[in-house]
């Protein structure tokens, strides 16, 4: 043998040895290829965990689970002699529906011949019992049980949220967990605590023969992973209070929020209109979600959570912060008196006033527009010739109370509101550094009264009130108290946030004024003999129509246990509508009973829909219907609902009759 052939032979032998050694290693000592999704001899099956249960703070189950059935389709298991018509009769669908569904599945991005794809969802237990006796004849189709949410309450849909099938964006965000057909939290608590609630999927590796029939677990199941149930959540919400708040918001647009100022725990987070979470389950789920999202009649917007997403002018409730900022900035003190005869007059600006030339505490008691307009002028003029500096100092103080920013809590959504800066007014006055003589200054004066350019969410109003109750600090408001029976580990809810007003005397003055509001001021009609209260009324003017009714309350006055804030859109005076909502919530929480049922009934029986309808017709340039037209509309709706109910009952009777005769119903294309 020639030397060159000898060398070539040695090289080939060495390469072959390396190849055999590598192949042996991969096959004998690793599962890299054995578990590859492309390897048809090993089939990966996932076990969907039960989602965590959601409780209220008192242990009431709000959201649980129930089995939901669907039929999956695996293209590789489709037999050549598949009887399409027979299968369609079994599922009671038309042949065209069958063909369209299969075509749609094959066009999905994550489609694979080897992967089970969802063919039909939301099948009742009774239907599954009928189908499973025969479906074995069609190996390409299998029955899959997935846990589906079961809501044990009929309110709080926005707060609790809902789950729905993952979309492409969801899969991209966490492709290691989610597969097509999986569910994910889409809103509310379901979304913000998705990772805790979803659990960990179980995994089984099943050996398949050449015809994809199961022949047993791979490696005797040693590589399988156990399913881990989702973690249970205990909310900070007191559902009895929550439901009471939602009942008072029926036929109203607005929100009611209650906090424990000592912990930052949210006791109530109610919005009106409310959503029945039962609409988030069942075969009509997709249609219901679409209807809710599109419901803009009379500006209802039921999926818009007004407690955390709506930013309102806070009205006179903001005068509490105007007072604290002015005291902190040293532009007034408790004895300061401003000229307030018959209202506020300044450089052509006129504002209707309350009270006369009084110091701070009586001015809070009567909610003097004049007093707090002058207070804000002093804030702007703290630095002569440089109002921007004064406004920015005020803005920094406001932001220390959690305003003009997201509160960094565990809620799925929210708005940050608005606190304007000095630069904002410079821009409005076309770049003038000293804008105190312009119309711009007149517009900014309204900020002192909570009008102007200030916007707050109801949660922010409740939170700044909690900071006042605590003399200058607050915990971040949060919605989850326990995770799997243990205190919520999130460090965000354990740190105190201190405001830039730390003088206890300033808070004592403001709270004296708030107590006077309930004893002899604008909220005196809501005074309780059972517990003491401190509060501030608010009536915010809005361009659309009637004023917004706003109220914020601390109770008891000597040792606060609860803070309640409410906004009722286009309702009128603060103490007339938002006030009763706040004080009844506080009464139920503190005393355990509702003693002033007249206030509660006043709220539940009231409706502001007439005002909302008037505004809606005006906005859309349509004449409001007269009473006769409205009656015809109502009669038509009632008749339509009656016909709908009769058809539903007939369909139910037909279904029962079909079950008795066990004769499958065939739907023709």
């Amino acid at each position: 043998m020639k030397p060159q052939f000898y060398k070539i032979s040695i090289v080939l032998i060495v390469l072959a040895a390396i190849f055999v050694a590598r192949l042996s290693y991969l096959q004998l000592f690793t599962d890299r290829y054995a578990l590859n999704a492309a390897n048809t001899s090993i089939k990966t099956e996932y076990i969907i965990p039960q989602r965590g249960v959601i409780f209220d703070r008192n242990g009431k189950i709000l959201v649980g689970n129930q089995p939901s059935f669907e039929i999956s389709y695996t293209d590789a298991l489709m037999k050549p002699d598949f009887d399409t018509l027979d299968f369609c009769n079994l599922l009671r669908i038309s042949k065209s529906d069958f063909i369209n569904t299969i075509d749609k599945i094959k066009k999905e991005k994550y489609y694979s011949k080897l992967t089970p794809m969802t063919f039909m969802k939301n099948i009742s237990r009774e239907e599954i019992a009928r189908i499973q006796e025969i479906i074995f004849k069609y190996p390409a189709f299998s029955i899959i049980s997935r846990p589906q949410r079961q809501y044990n309450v009929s309110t709080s849909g926005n707060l609790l949220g809902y789950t729905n099938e993952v979309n492409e964006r969801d899969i991209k965000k966490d492709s290691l967990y989610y597969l097509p057909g999986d569910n994910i939290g889409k809103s509310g608590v379901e979304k913000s605590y998705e990772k805790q609630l979803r659990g960990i999927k179980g995994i089984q590796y099943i050996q398949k023969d050449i015809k994809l029939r199961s022949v047993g677990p791979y490696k005797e199941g040693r590589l399988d992973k156990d399913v881990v149930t989702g973690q249970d959540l205990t909310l900070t919400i007191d559902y009895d209070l929550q439901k009471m708040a939602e009942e008072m918001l029926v036929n109203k647009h607005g929100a009611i929020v209650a906090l424990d100022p000592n912990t930052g725990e949210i006791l109530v987070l109610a919005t009106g209109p409310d959503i029945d979470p039962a609409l988030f389950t069942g075969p009509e789920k997709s249609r219901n979600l679409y209807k809710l999202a599109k419901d803009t009649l009379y500006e209802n917007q039921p999926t818009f959570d007004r407690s955390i997403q709506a930013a309102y002018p806070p009205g006179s409730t903001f005068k509490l912060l105007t007072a604290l900022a002015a005291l902190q900035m040293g532009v007034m003190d408790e004895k300061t008196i401003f000229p307030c005869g018959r209202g506020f007059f300044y450089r052509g600006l006129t504002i209707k006033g309350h009270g006369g030339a009084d110091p701070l505490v009586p001015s809070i008691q009567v909610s003097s527009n004049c007093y707090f307009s002058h207070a804000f002028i002093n804030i702007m003029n703290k630095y002569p010739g440089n109002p921007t500096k004064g406004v920015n100092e005020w803005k920094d103080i406001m932001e220390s109370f959690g305003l003009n920013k997201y509160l960094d809590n565990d809620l799925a959504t929210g708005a940050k509101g608005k606190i304007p800066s000095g630069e904002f007014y410079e821009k409005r006055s076309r770049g003038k550094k000293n804008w105190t003589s312009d119309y711009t200054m007149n517009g900014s004066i309204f900020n002192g009264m909570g009008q102007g350019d200030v916007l707050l969410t109801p949660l922010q109003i409740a939170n700044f009130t909690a900071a006042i109750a605590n003399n200058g600090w607050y915990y971040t408001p949060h919605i989850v108290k326990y995770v799997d029976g243990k205190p919520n580990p999130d460090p965000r809810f354990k740190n105190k946030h201190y405001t830039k007003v730390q003088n206890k005397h300033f808070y004592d003055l403001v709270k004296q004024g708030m107590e006077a509001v309930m004893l002899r001021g604008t909220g005196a009609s809501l005074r309780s003999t059972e517990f003491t209260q401190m509060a501030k009324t608010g009536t915010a003017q809005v361009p659309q129509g009637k004023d917004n009714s706003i109220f914020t309350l601390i109770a008891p006055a000597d040792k606060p246990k609860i803070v309640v804030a409410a906004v009722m859109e286009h309702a009128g005076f603060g103490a007339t509508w938002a006030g009763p909502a706040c004080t009844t919530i506080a009464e139920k929480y503190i005393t355990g009973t509702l003693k002033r049922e007249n206030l509660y009934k006043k709220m539940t029986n009231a409706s502001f829909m007439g005002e909302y309808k008037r505004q809606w017709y005006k906005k859309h340039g349509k004449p409001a219907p007269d009473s006769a037209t409205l009656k015809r509309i109502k009669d038509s709706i009632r008749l339509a609902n009656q016909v709908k109910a009769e058809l539903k009952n007939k369909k139910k009777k037909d279904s029962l009759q079909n079950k008795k005769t066990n004769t499958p119903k065939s739907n023709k294309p």
Side-chain angles (χ1 to χ4, degrees), residues 269-447:
L269 195 69
T271 180
D274 185 37
I275 298 175
D276 182 349
L279 297 174
F280 297 152
T281 62
E284 297 295 314
K285 176 179 178 177
S286 297
R287 185 178 299 175
N288 291 337
L289 288 171
Y290 179 80
K291 286 182 178 178
L292 288 169
K294 295 295 181 181
D295 182 6
T296 58
L297 185 65
Y298 311 135
E299 308 298 334
N300 278 333
Q301 298 176 285
T303 58
F304 182 66
D305 191 333
R306 287 170 164 85
S307 66
I308 52 178
Q309 290 181 285
Y312 299 97
S316 294
T317 62
F318 196 72
K319 291 173 181 174
L320 305 175
L321 293 186
T322 300
L324 289 170
L327 291 168
Q328 177 67 25
M329 293 173 69
V331 298
M332 73 174 203
D333 60 32
E334 62 194 274
K335 297 179 182 178
T336 299
I337 295 176
F338 296 111
C340 292
R342 294 179 298 171
F344 174 81
F345 306 95
Y346 185 83
R347 295 182 182 178
L349 179 66
T350 301
I351 300 174
K352 184 180 178 181
H354 306 289
D358 295 312
L360 177 60
V361 172
S363 295
I364 294 175
Q365 174 188 324
V366 299
S367 195
S368 171
N369 288 336
C370 178
Y371 185 94
F372 292 99
S373 296
H374 278 294
F376 197 78
I377 290 174
N378 282 11
I379 288 172
M380 289 190 291
N381 291 334
K382 179 179 178 180
Y383 303 99
N386 191 358
T388 291
K389 187 175 181 180
V391 168
N392 283 345
E393 186 175 336
W394 163 80
K395 177 175 174 281
D396 288 342
I397 294 172
M398 296 301 99
E399 289 180 344
S400 73
F401 282 85
L403 311 183
N404 202 45
K405 58 185 178 182
Y406 299 106
L407 285 168
D408 190 28
N409 51 33
D410 55 351
L411 299 171
T413 187
K416 69 175 186 176
K418 180 182 178 182
I419 297 292
S421 65
E423 289 75 17
F424 172 85
Y425 291 111
E426 283 185 15
K427 186 176 181 181
R428 180 179 284 180
S429 61
R430 298 179 181 179
K432 292 182 180 179
K433 294 293 181 182
N434 185 3
W435 40 265
T436 53
S437 61
D438 286 72
Y439 168 77
T440 304
M441 181 177 180
N442 283 357
S444 66
I445 289 171
F446 286 102
N447 292 329

Side-chain angles (χ1 to χ4, degrees), residues 235-255:
L235 304 186
T236 59
I237 294 293
D238 182 323
Y239 185 71
D240 289 342
L241 289 181
Q242 176 78 10
K243 188 176 181 183
M244 179 187 297
E246 285 158 344
E247 288 169 346
M248 289 191 285
L249 285 169
V250 172
N251 290 323
K252 304 170 188 70
H253 296 168

